[in-house]
Structure formats: C-alpha cells, structure tokens
Amino acid sequence: LLGDELSQGLLALDPIRTMYGLELWRPFTAACFLGPPSIGWLMSAYYLFEYGSSLERAFGTAQHLLFLLIQIGFLSVCSAFFGQPFFAQSVITSMLHVLSRSMPNQKVKWLIFTVPYWTLPYGLMASDVLQAGNAGAALPHVLGILSGHVYYFHKNVWPKLGGEDWLVPPQFLVNKLEGRSAAKDSISNALKSRKKGAGRKLGSK
C-alpha cells in the first residue's frame, strides 16, 4: 500500500519525531527492519533467529528481554548520533559478540572455515565490508560490538571485580515469562529424585 521510501520513513529512527512527536515505535522498528527482501535479508533473519534463540536458551527469557531492551536503548542513542536510520544489523552483531565472549575459544564453522568463536563478529563485519565495497558498512558492526561489550562487561566482568550486577530482570518479569518452565523443571526434578530413591515393599517397616 505504501511506497518503499514512505514505509521506511515510518519505520526509521528519527530522534525529533520520537521525542517531540511521541512516535515511540521508531526505536523498536529501527531495531527490527532488515531491509528489502534479498539474500542479505534472509541471512540477517537467520542470524537474528539463531543468535537470539541461543542467547535466550543460555540466559533465560526474562534476561534475554532485558538484553534486547538495553541494546535498543543504547543503539538508538548511538545510531542517532551517527545518522543511522536502522540498526537491526547492530543488534545481531551485539548478540553474536555476547555469545562469542561467553565461549571465545570454542571452534565453530563459518562459511567454509573453522574459526574461534570470538572472531565471528569481526568476520561478519569483514564480509559485509567486502560485499559493499565500502568501509562505511563496518559502522553498524562496530556499534553492535561496542553495545554488546557494554552489556557483557557489566553483566559478567564487573560483578567478578566486586561490583554489583544491576542488569537483573525484575522478579515479576521472571515469574511471568519463566514461571511455567520453572515449575515444570521443579516437578521433573522431584520425580527424578523420587525414582532414584531405594523404595520399600508395601507393609514393610
């Protein structure tokens, strides 16, 4: 119904319209817009699903939601400063950076190569730069690495140095998003421990 330019204009990050026009959807749509359908669009959608689901399995749904909100907030400010109307690629790179820092030396397959996990964000950045033929294509990845590292440092490094872990989702959010799965886990663990018991015959003392 709408042309490409008009539809992208409705979805793009615009700080003035967001703050003064109360178009509060713009940071979220800017974080989700992957561009027009293409091979690159399919690859970005795959990366978004793969790395997003991996983070959710590793950290839990509530923590993953908090991660996404922090990334959208931080990247909205950075992208507005550098004039980037969309930053979905930065969100993908931030996910990949946090995962790669969690297990940096694990060997993974990328294209036809086997590389350490920590190199993947930089490999993805180099690939986009070569495809675009422009060094400016590295900017979304640089912002994603920076944003992901801010989260990783405050969540994993700072508490080990004696600081407070303030990136904790509120308990009501944990109960809402993970309550059922936690209840299922506790029931299954109780059943397993019951099966492991020695047991005794009926009527025995």
Side-chain angles (χ1 to χ4, degrees):
L1 297 178
L2 299 175
D4 288 342
E5 292 186 5
L6 182 57
S7 60
Q8 291 184 25
L10 290 173
L11 302 176
L13 179 67
D14 188 327
I16 302 300
R17 291 187 175 184
T18 301
M19 291 186 293
Y20 296 106
L22 295 180
E23 297 179 1
L24 303 179
W25 68 83
R26 290 184 176 274
F28 299 96
T29 53
C32 298
F33 185 72
L34 298 173
S38 63
I39 297 298
W41 185 93
L42 289 175
M43 293 299 296
S44 296
Y46 169 77
Y47 290 145
L48 187 62
F49 172 78
E50 180 67 20
Y51 302 141
S53 57
S54 297
L55 271 178
E56 184 176 3
R57 287 193 300 269
F59 299 149
T61 305
Q63 187 67 47
H64 183 235
L65 178 59
L66 179 63
F67 167 81
L68 289 176
L69 293 176
I70 291 171
Q71 297 308 303
I72 290 173
F74 187 87
L75 288 170
S76 293
V77 175
C78 293
S79 297
F81 181 80
F82 286 100
Q84 298 289 307
F86 302 103
F87 53 88
Q89 189 60 62
S90 299
V91 175
I92 294 171
T93 305
S94 69
M95 291 178 178
L96 181 54
H97 180 74
V98 172
L99 283 172
S100 68
R101 294 305 301 167
S102 301
M103 36 190 167
N105 297 317
Q106 179 176 327
K107 300 295 183 181
V108 293
K109 274 281 188 180
W110 182 65
L111 300 178
I112 60 173
F113 307 103
T114 301
V115 296
Y117 210 153
W118 69 268
T119 63
L120 277 186
Y122 306 99
L124 192 61
M125 177 173 63
S127 175
D128 280 1
V129 169
L130 291 175
Q131 288 182 13
N134 183 2
L139 180 59
H141 298 279
V142 172
L143 295 179
I145 291 172
L146 175 63
S147 180
H149 194 72
V150 168
Y151 173 87
Y152 178 81
F153 177 83
H154 285 93
K155 183 65 182 176
N156 299 94
V157 178
W158 180 243
K160 293 179 181 178
L161 298 176
E164 182 181 356
D165 179 11
W166 55 277
L167 298 180
V168 179
Q171 190 58 43
F172 78 89
L173 193 60
V174 176
N175 295 337
K176 184 69 174 178
L177 297 178
E178 302 178 19
R180 292 182 180 179
S181 60
K184 289 180 180 179
D185 291 341
S186 62
I187 291 172
S188 62
N189 290 334
L191 291 174
K192 286 179 183 179
S193 62
R194 187 174 180 181
K195 289 178 182 179
K196 291 179 181 179
R200 60 182 180 181
K201 293 182 179 179
L202 196 63
S204 62
K205 295 182 178 180

